[in-house]
Amino acid sequence: MATLDDVRRLALALPRTDEKVSWGSANWRVSSKSFVWERPLRRADEAALEAAGVPLPEGDVLGVRVADEGVKHALIADDPAIYFTTPHFDGYAAVLVRLERLGADELRELVEEAWLQRAPKTVAAAWLAEQQDR
């Protein structure tokens, strides 16, 4: 079971990442671009999920930047018990994640992939080269 503390640890271990609190929720950014964030559900989100017959998350929800909407829909189709979306994110390359159902390895992969989507290309390339050397 992943937690926001796990997200914080993984995100802040990546180059040029900082944490900002916005509207009372944690938001992790690389070079001022958000890549993962705490995303409490709003009443409209809950109503849309209930209308669609999607169970409400029991714990924390994480918003994660993905490459495009194709990736977002593939994640949701592959494991709807973990990944979901709401109308608020229609047309946006981000997916919502039920942290309580996510394992440590999958969380690491999500955070790193989201970071790679938003990091400056030279910073991402240097980090990837460093990872290959390990």
Side-chain angles (χ1 to χ4, degrees):
M1 177 173 115
T3 66
L4 287 172
D5 286 336
D6 296 327
V7 175
R8 177 175 288 112
R9 178 182 46 79
L10 291 166
L12 293 176
L14 296 164
R16 293 198 191 175
T17 297
D18 67 3
E19 180 177 337
K20 181 180 178 182
V21 174
S22 178
W23 298 94
S25 298
N27 179 359
W28 293 276
R29 309 174 315 158
V30 57
S31 299
S32 298
K33 295 180 183 177
S34 295
F35 63 99
V36 290
W37 58 94
E38 179 183 10
R39 180 51 165 81
L41 295 181
R42 295 167 176 97
R43 278 187 233 140
D45 298 324
E46 291 175 354
L49 292 172
E50 288 173 349
V54 176
L56 295 178
E58 295 176 16
D60 291 320
V61 174
L62 187 69
V64 179
R65 183 73 177 209
V66 294
D68 55 44
E69 282 201 275
V71 171
K72 167 179 153 176
H73 294 298
L75 287 168
I76 293 167
D78 185 50
D79 199 341
I82 295 176
Y83 303 101
F84 68 103
T85 191
T86 65
H88 179 80
F89 291 97
D90 287 352
Y92 189 66
V95 68
L96 298 174
V97 180
R98 291 173 174 87
L99 276 178
E100 80 272 1
R101 296 187 178 183
L102 195 64
D105 289 340
E106 196 166 3
L107 177 62
R108 174 177 281 107
E109 183 178 338
L110 278 173
V111 170
E112 289 175 355
E113 288 296 321
W115 181 85
L116 286 167
Q117 292 298 317
R118 304 296 278 169
K121 290 179 182 177
T122 55
V123 174
W127 182 80
L128 285 170
E130 180 183 303
Q131 299 311 300
Q132 288 178 349
D133 291 342
R134 287 185 180 190

